[in-house]
Amino acid sequence: MSDLTRKTAAELADALAAGETTSVEITQVHLDRIAAVDGDATAGVHAFLHVDVEGALEQARASDERRAAGRPLHLLDGVPIAVKDVLTTQGLPTTCGSRILEGWVPPYDATVVTKVKAAGLPILGKTNMDEFAMGSSTEHSAYGPTRNPWDQTRIPGGSGGGSAAAVASYEAPLALGTDTGGSIRQPGAVTGTVGVKPTYGGVSRYGLVALANSLDQVGPVTRTVLDSALLHELIGGHDPLDSTSVDQPVGGLVDAARQGATGDLAGLKVGVIKELAGDGWQPGVMARFQETVELLTELGAAVTEISCPTFVHSLATYYLILPAECSSNLAKFDAMRYGLRVVPDGDPSAEAVMKATRDAGFGDEVKRRIMIGTYALSSGYYDAYYGQAQKVRTLIARDFTAAFEQVDVLVSPTSPTTAFPIGEKVDDPLAMYLQDLATIPANLAGVPGISVPAGLAEEDGLPVGFQVLAPALADDRLYRVGAAVEAALTSRWGGHLLEKAPVLEGVVR
Amino acid sequence: MPEISRDEVAHLADLARIDLDDAELDHLAPQLNVILESVASIRGVAGDDVPPTSHPIPLTNVFREDVITPSLTPEQALSGAPEAEDGRFRVPRILGDEQ
Amino acid sequence: MTETLIPFDEVIEKFDPALGLEVHVELNTNTKMFCGCPTEFGAEPNTQVCPTCLGLPGAMPVVNGKAVESAIRIGLAMNCEIAEWCRFARKNYFYPDMPKNFQTSQYDEPIAFEGYLDVDIQTAAGETETYRVEIERAHMEEDTGKSLHVGGSDGRIHGAEYSLVDYNRAGIPLIEIVTKPILGTGDKAPLVAKAYVAALREILLGLGVSDVRMEQGSMRCDVNLSLAPKGSGVLGTRTETKNVNSLRSVERAVRYEMSRHAGVLLGGGAVLQETRHFHEDNGTTSPGRVKSDAEDYRYFPEPDLVPVAPSREWVEELRSTLPEPPAVRRARLQKEWGFSDLEMRDTVGAGALDLVEQTIAAGASPQAARKWWLAELSRRANDMGVDLSAVGVTPEQVAAVQALVDSGKINDKLARQVFDGLVAGEGTPEEIVAARGLEIVSDEGALSAAVDKAIADNPDVADKIRDGKVAAAGALIGAVMKEMRGQADAGRVRELILEKLG
Ligand SMILES: [Zn+2]
């Protein structure tokens, strides 16, 4: 049969169901692909921090046995998956891209990992990320950057650049990501893949090493909208271990994706967010975005412009709330119970060991955010910074509420630019933060969003993402619209956008 | 916007238990200033009448039954410990007071 | 360090004390505040921990509903308002026994606030005075782990080479109850402090929400004290004496700090705002950490938890489950039982109130119940070094023993042997009477023979009785009882003696 790595997860599931292939075969070709193109910190895609060859094959064999016995656990039983290294995996290293957790092997699984295992999906390994998910380029990984399969001198987005690059380079059909301010959607946009941030509370965060607890969500990273829907339905739903988990069953997403793929958007009201365009937005990105908006009209949707005036404050709001929460979350990395311990000379106290370890174990971006957060929470500054940010957050949520009274979904480009060269913004935090301009509002308000490929920017030939946002708990709308756009554009292009990507050379290790 | 001084950065580092050396302080202090200047733009955006949002999806009263669930084994609990002794986490001498 | 201590009477002449008490109570829930780990005291180290209470990356807290219920009941019992909406907050500071380096607590939104507790103290003149202690707040939080300091001297933190941490205690639900400044107590300040903690302990016991074992640390008391010049109406600089772990120590700590503060102030110095450590051995305090303004806990709402919004229906339902307040209950029982003030005070003082009540409920008379618990069983508990409730005899058994006495099967002396048997776990009172052969001999022949023998052995005594000195019969009764090894009804023996010599 033709190259299994090129197949979507849905196609692989069908092939398994039809007995045309085995999980071992599928898993092996992906492991081979990883071995061929992933390389390491110095060359190759470097999407993975840890590959679990033995474990994945063992799970694949078990899957094949279940299927042979007529007892598959799930439609996706046997289809392999990659997991972002910010999700705990029992027995597999979990580093969050940080030195401070080098070698840490959690004694427990994140709830989403438990669900993935319970459905029988072999876990290929753990994917690279910006340290503790802080960044938009994956350059802030302590283990070296991930490279964009479209151009290996460029960033794959972040923080989940590893998961996006893994699916974009056919190393995995499915991956799990996490999205705090765009870490699933922006990498999806710049690698020509699909990424979904579910409604806050729609997917359990238990076992997700928190960056900003009130913003984080786990979501699917795939090449197609249907695959995202399948994975979303698998990982979503209520979890009693996560107090912020919404007590509602997840469902209707796959149906919405299939329905959207028929191309009929008649009656759908679409709002183009006025504030998410303008100066600093790359012309090639805006051009693809405009075309896609016109496509929606062609498919029967009614498109209007919507103003969300407080969105201009979302970046500042985000960069107060996130550092505040993360400064507290990351306090636990103190060399006492797990992870790195750096012992200075002499007879150091616990306090001195904590300080030395945290200095050695955290990268610059992490330190910057911890310090900003510590400052924003300090007495005397709380009201002016953190307190004010929480209030502006209310205003941003109100803008969404008002907008969704007028339209069914909101749209914008996912990211202001295409993938930029590695190193370009690494010491200019503000320029880096601007990458998340369009994705952050959804996290602040808890609403769901998807990024689907919209084509290539003319000036650099790199992928552009189209973002769709829906009201909280209306994730199905993302799949309906996303699938319609995907179907129309794929047929216009004569195939998936990724087919235009350069063929990856094998890396010699 | 109060300019954040190098001393203040050193104090923050101390509060955050990060042992920044002089070179790092020189490198980070100006960056923190740029960031703080930028985020300070939200001052005054929301009036006193706007309630704060701490949770995007408002839920209340999420409780657990008072029923015991399995703990980790001591081996698992100590599996990541940089040092352990007699089933306990061994840590360097502690400064300051008894809690 | 030598402190100048001012005699207590002089302190009272020159200063007004202001008290403040912060009491931490460990709840007796089955599981911890935010995870399902057990809370049992004394388990092997790090066997009652999970990703959540060990602060492992990725783990999340979920609130124990039972702990919230207990917190609300405590608030109601302290006459507090219950918040309609409140949140948990993170208190950020680094310490190795705190797994996350923040404590999940409540900050400006406590579950209960604005209450009071009336406490009684006995004056030297034997009169009762009542003070109203106003409660500022009661809030929910989690306990920390425990460190063992190794090396250096006597396991103290200073001078230790390293420490060993056990996180079993980390995450156990705590309720912190904070009073408002208690003013106007004058020379009664030490007594009021002690009486407040005792009253609080009694309420918590009555609610059944905590073991309140001060010696095991399930109730821990921080004593705040300041002095102001007599009549000035201002508040002085306060010290916070931490972890004062017995009622007696509370009283002593207040007394000591009053004398010490006065010494500093009269010497022209200023009291440092600091924490102090109390030393049980000599009743003194020593300085701990100076409370600086730089201490900055960076509180913010815990984003992994959602607000607690107890419905008014729930609060009222919980209010209806509250036991009678201890003071009200004591007054009622004293009246029902016909106890004198002294009898009642002794009963309460011995920790026998519940036991006596249950014994009466099982059929014994109030005086009999009191007699057994306060005389016989208190002595045994004392000898065994255990609480009265742990002496190994149940109220039902005491009532059963008394029933045997009432029926004439045994007498009080034999009853003591039955209690021996009960403590030794030999079975029910009836079984012990049978097995030990304790039943009073009602065989008139044997009894008559024993009386005859006693008369024959003690002719002088017999003569006195014949001469009408009936009081001398006691000596003969004693001889008969000895002969019968106690197993005779003393009343019947007396009758027989008088018949034979009458
Ligand atoms: Zn636990």
Side-chain angles (χ1 to χ4, degrees):
Chain A
M1 111 176 262
S2 61
D3 185 356
L4 287 170
T5 63
R6 298 279 162 157
K7 298 208 172 293
T8 67
E11 288 165 352
L12 291 171
D14 288 345
L16 282 167
E20 294 161 14
T21 183
T22 64
S23 178
V24 168
E25 189 181 9
I26 295 170
T27 303
Q28 189 63 58
V29 297
H30 285 97
L31 291 169
D32 292 347
R33 174 73 177 171
I34 293 168
V37 305
D38 204 55
D40 54 25
T42 55
V45 177
H46 196 225
F48 284 85
L49 292 178
H50 183 85
V51 181
D52 186 20
V53 175
E54 305 277 299
L57 287 171
E58 194 180 308
Q59 293 161 53
R61 276 190 292 273
S63 170
D64 288 336
E65 280 166 23
R66 283 192 296 272
R67 202 171 283 278
R71 290 184 281 104
L73 297 168
H74 185 270
L75 183 73
L76 294 174
D77 191 341
V79 178
I81 189 168
V83 176
K84 190 177 178 182
D85 206 30
V86 75
L87 295 162
T88 59
T89 41
Q90 185 168 1
L92 271 190
T94 301
T95 68
C96 301
S98 181
R99 260 322 148 209
I100 212 159
L101 271 182
E102 189 163 9
W104 182 58
V105 180
Y108 79 107
D109 279 328
T111 296
V112 288
V113 171
T114 302
K115 288 190 175 193
V116 159
K117 285 182 176 175
L121 285 73
I123 293 175
L124 295 166
K126 306 297 288 288
T127 59
N128 200 4
M129 56 186 283
D130 284 300
E131 184 176 3
F132 288 110
M134 297 185 205
S136 309
S137 68
T138 317
E139 292 164 286
H140 294 306
S141 167
Y143 303 98
T146 296
R147 296 172 194 85
N148 194 320
W150 289 79
D151 176 349
Q152 295 200 25
T153 68
R154 290 176 185 263
I155 60 102
S159 65
S163 282
V167 298
S169 59
Y170 303 102
E171 292 175 319
L174 299 168
L176 290 176
T178 61
D179 190 312
T180 306
S183 290
I184 289 175
R185 289 163 290 160
Q186 181 257 9
V190 302
T191 58
T193 57
V194 176
V196 177
K197 182 202 94 72
T199 297
Y200 183 82
V203 179
S204 170
R205 291 187 295 114
Y206 186 79
L208 156 59
V209 181
L211 170 54
N213 325 59
S214 73
L215 303 165
D216 295 340
Q217 261 299 281
V218 183
V221 173
T222 64
R223 290 190 293 269
T224 70
V225 174
L226 177 62
D227 282 359
S228 272
L230 287 164
L231 184 52
H232 189 160
E233 285 196 1
L234 167 57
I235 61 175
H238 182 242
D239 180 9
L241 297 177
D242 174 358
S243 305
T244 62
S245 163
V246 177
D247 195 359
Q248 278 186 24
V250 64
L253 308 178
V254 172
D255 288 347
R258 292 195 198 281
Q259 198 230 324
T262 63
D264 180 11
L265 293 181
L268 182 83
K269 288 182 281 183
V270 176
V272 174
I273 304 168
K274 186 178 151 211
E275 284 73 15
L276 299 182
D279 285 350
W281 292 71
Q282 193 177 318
V285 168
M286 290 314 297
R288 293 287 89 83
F289 173 67
Q290 297 303 349
E291 273 173 27
T292 311
V293 171
E294 282 156 29
L295 178 68
L296 292 177
T297 315
E298 288 166 28
L299 296 175
V303 179
T304 51
E305 189 180 72
I306 295 279
S307 176
C308 295
T310 49
F311 279 21
V312 296
H313 301 294
S314 47
L315 203 60
T317 303
Y318 177 81
Y319 277 102
L320 282 168
I321 291 172
L322 180 143
E325 293 184 7
C326 92
S327 70
S328 172
N329 289 332
L330 299 192
K332 63 170 69 76
F333 300 101
D334 65 356
M336 298 295 115
R337 290 162 296 280
Y338 42 77
L340 184 69
R341 176 180 284 184
V342 175
V343 182
D345 288 343
D347 173 29
S349 64
E351 189 176 53
V353 170
M354 284 183 189
K355 284 178 143 183
T357 303
R358 288 164 66 79
D359 183 47
F362 289 143
D364 275 359
E365 181 60 17
V366 173
K367 288 177 189 167
R368 278 192 287 265
R369 294 202 199 182
I370 288 176
M371 308 264 277
I372 295 286
T374 304
Y375 181 79
L377 289 175
S378 294
S379 61
Y381 298 108
Y382 183 93
D383 289 341
Y385 290 100
Y386 190 71
Q388 180 69 5
Q390 298 279 39
K391 289 181 171 188
V392 178
R393 190 171 185 178
T394 305
L395 298 179
I396 289 164
R398 284 180 186 169
D399 274 1
F400 269 116
T401 306
F404 286 128
E405 278 165 13
Q406 299 171 61
V407 295
D408 301 312
V409 293
L410 291 166
V411 297
S412 77
T414 309
S415 172
T417 71
T418 55
F420 51 85
I422 289 173
E424 188 181 272
K425 301 182 200 288
V426 77
D427 245 339
D428 185 353
L430 280 186
M432 185 77 86
Y433 296 173
L434 285 170
Q435 282 294 306
D436 299 327
L437 209 56
T439 44
I440 280 172
N443 299 82
L444 290 170
V447 305
I450 189 173
S451 178
V452 293
L456 304 178
E458 254 146 50
E459 55 271 39
D460 53 22
L462 291 168
V464 172
F466 182 78
Q467 175 176 243
V468 184
L469 303 173
L473 301 172
D475 303 49
D476 58 321
R477 293 185 200 171
L478 306 179
Y479 289 102
R480 181 180 171 211
V481 178
V485 168
E486 178 187 60
L489 289 177
T490 307
S491 94
R492 188 178 288 179
W493 300 328
H496 195 284
L497 186 67
L498 280 171
E499 288 168 25
K500 299 179 196 286
V503 173
L504 291 179
E505 303 292 331
V507 211
V508 183
R509 294 215 211 204
Chain B
M1 174 65 211
E3 185 86 351
I4 176 169
S5 68
R6 198 171 177 281
D7 280 354
E8 217 171 338
V9 174
H11 172 65
L12 289 175
D14 203 45
L15 266 181
R17 296 284 188 277
I18 304 175
D19 193 11
L20 294 184
D21 59 27
D22 284 348
E24 282 180 298
L25 281 173
D26 291 340
H27 177 63
L28 288 176
Q31 290 178 341
L32 295 184
N33 263 314
V34 170
I35 297 168
L36 279 175
E37 201 174 312
S38 160
V39 296
S41 65
I42 63 160
R43 287 180 135 188
V45 168
D48 291 342
D49 55 329
V50 179
T53 295
S54 55
H55 293 83
I57 306 296
L59 300 172
T60 54
N61 294 339
V62 175
F63 300 139
R64 181 173 58 74
E65 295 284 316
D66 187 24
V67 174
I68 293 172
T69 53
S71 297
L72 294 172
T73 64
E75 293 72 33
Q76 284 177 318
L78 292 160
S79 62
E83 269 189 287
E85 191 176 308
D86 294 339
R88 296 178 171 88
F89 291 83
R90 179 172 166 160
V91 305
R93 66 193 170 83
I94 300 168
L95 288 182
D97 263 355
E98 200 82 59
Q99 290 284 290
Chain C
M1 183 186 308
T2 48
E3 303 279 4
T4 310
L5 298 176
I6 304 298
F8 192 73
D9 290 347
E10 190 184 340
V11 176
I12 296 307
E13 258 169 52
K14 294 179 175 158
F15 297 99
D16 291 327
L19 280 172
L21 292 150
E22 292 174 21
V23 176
H24 285 88
V25 180
E26 271 185 7
L27 297 180
N28 60 1
T29 47
N30 296 324
T31 65
K32 293 186 179 181
M33 187 73 224
F34 301 115
C35 66
C37 288
T39 54
E40 211 167 304
F41 183 80
E44 288 294 304
N46 296 305
T47 54
Q48 298 182 162
V49 294
C50 71
T52 298
C53 59
L54 202 52
L56 292 188
M60 296 178 71
V62 186
V63 174
N64 182 342
K66 179 78 181 174
V68 176
E69 183 184 299
S70 295
I72 294 173
R73 294 181 70 227
I74 291 170
L76 290 172
M78 309 283 287
N79 306 293
C80 288
E81 307 272 322
I82 303 302
E84 297 200 10
W85 191 91
C86 66
R87 288 181 295 189
F88 287 95
R90 291 186 183 179
K91 181 181 183 181
N92 293 288
Y93 65 99
F94 286 82
Y95 205 84
D97 67 14
M98 205 166 51
K100 299 164 293 182
N101 285 323
F102 61 79
Q103 182 188 31
T104 308
S105 181
Q106 293 194 286
Y107 179 44
D108 49 359
E109 299 162 355
I111 182 95
F113 51 93
E114 296 289 335
Y116 65 86
L117 190 58
D118 288 333
V119 302
D120 291 344
I121 61 159
Q122 308 297 325
T123 65
E127 282 162 7
T128 300
E129 279 179 16
T130 302
Y131 285 84
R132 173 156 293 190
V133 174
E134 290 185 69
I135 307 298
E136 168 97 27
R137 56 187 283 157
H139 73 250
M140 302 178 276
E141 59 184 34
E142 57 179 339
D143 213 339
T144 59
K146 259 183 165 167
S147 303
L148 204 72
H149 307 296
V150 182
S153 60
D154 64 10
R156 298 195 84 96
I157 190 164
H158 296 292
E161 284 165 38
Y162 60 93
S163 299
L164 296 174
V165 192
D166 168 16
Y167 293 100
N168 281 349
R169 197 180 68 176
I172 289 186
L174 287 181
I175 304 296
E176 180 177 344
I177 302 157
V178 182
T179 67
K180 293 187 175 174
I182 307 167
L183 306 170
T185 53
D187 64 332
K188 308 291 183 337
L191 287 179
V192 170
K194 178 186 173 187
Y196 165 74
V197 178
L200 177 55
R201 187 170 180 277
E202 195 176 29
I203 283 182
L204 295 168
L205 270 177
L207 290 170
V209 293
S210 171
D211 303 335
V212 280
R213 299 227 167 115
M214 293 185 83
E215 74 286 0
Q216 281 186 4
S218 61
M219 182 175 188
R220 308 197 280 272
C221 188
D222 300 343
V223 178
N224 291 319
L225 182 103
S226 66
L227 292 183
K230 189 101 188 160
S232 67
V234 299
L235 283 178
T237 304
R238 70 191 167 89
T239 54
E240 182 181 0
T241 305
K242 306 286 277 183
N243 292 328
V244 185
N245 287 338
S246 74
L247 293 177
R248 183 166 164 262
S249 296
V250 170
E251 182 182 345
R252 291 168 83 207
V254 171
R255 193 173 282 273
Y256 181 82
E257 277 297 282
M258 284 174 71
S259 290
R260 193 186 65 82
H261 279 222
V264 172
L265 295 169
L266 292 176
V271 173
L272 275 181
Q273 187 174 343
E274 62 184 354
T275 59
R276 311 269 311 172
H277 301 296
F278 182 70
H279 304 286
E280 301 271 352
D281 46 356
N282 59 10
T284 65
T285 68
S286 63
R289 173 166 48 99
V290 174
K291 286 231 167 183
S292 70
D293 295 334
E295 201 163 82
D296 187 344
Y297 292 124
R298 288 159 283 134
Y299 281 101
F300 72 105
E302 165 57 80
D304 275 339
L305 293 172
V306 304
V308 175
S311 73
R312 296 303 96 178
E313 294 72 31
W314 189 30
V315 171
E316 288 316 308
E317 192 186 311
L318 292 176
R319 195 192 300 278
S320 71
T321 68
L322 291 185
E324 192 177 14
V328 175
R329 172 168 168 244
R330 278 198 302 275
R332 174 176 61 78
L333 292 177
Q334 184 178 354
K335 196 161 167 239
E336 282 175 19
W337 298 344
F339 281 11
S340 69
D341 285 357
L342 185 65
E343 285 172 340
M344 194 64 190
R345 205 178 303 158
D346 288 349
T347 306
V348 172
L353 193 67
D354 289 346
L355 298 166
V356 168
E357 187 184 25
Q358 288 159 23
T359 305
I360 294 168
S365 72
Q367 287 301 344
R370 191 184 63 81
K371 178 184 69 186
W372 292 125
W373 285 109
L374 264 67
E376 181 62 21
L377 295 169
S378 277
R379 181 182 55 74
R380 285 166 191 268
N382 242 337
D383 292 349
M384 293 159 71
V386 297
D387 280 353
L388 194 50
S389 58
V391 78
V393 179
T394 67
E396 291 70 25
Q397 290 170 333
V398 174
V401 170
Q402 182 58 35
L404 290 172
V405 173
D406 291 343
S407 72
K409 275 197 171 162
I410 59 173
N411 53 28
D412 280 9
K413 196 171 171 205
L414 291 169
R416 294 197 177 93
Q417 295 184 50
V418 178
F419 286 124
D420 288 341
L422 287 169
V423 170
E426 293 172 12
T428 66
E430 290 78 3
E431 286 163 0
I432 293 164
V433 167
R436 292 195 170 203
L438 298 178
E439 196 156 347
I440 286 173
V441 176
S442 49
D443 173 350
E444 286 282 323
L447 209 51
S448 182
V451 171
D452 291 345
K453 181 171 185 293
I455 291 169
D457 290 351
N458 299 281
D460 304 351
V461 180
D463 286 344
K464 282 184 186 165
I465 296 169
R466 287 195 189 93
D467 293 346
K469 291 184 180 163
V470 176
L476 286 187
I477 295 171
V480 174
M481 292 304 275
K482 195 175 173 195
E483 178 70 20
M484 299 297 293
R485 298 204 316 278
Q487 285 166 259
D489 179 342
R492 181 64 193 137
V493 173
R494 184 184 177 83
E495 281 172 24
L496 278 175
I497 291 168
L498 296 181
E499 267 171 34
K500 287 177 193 276
L501 301 176

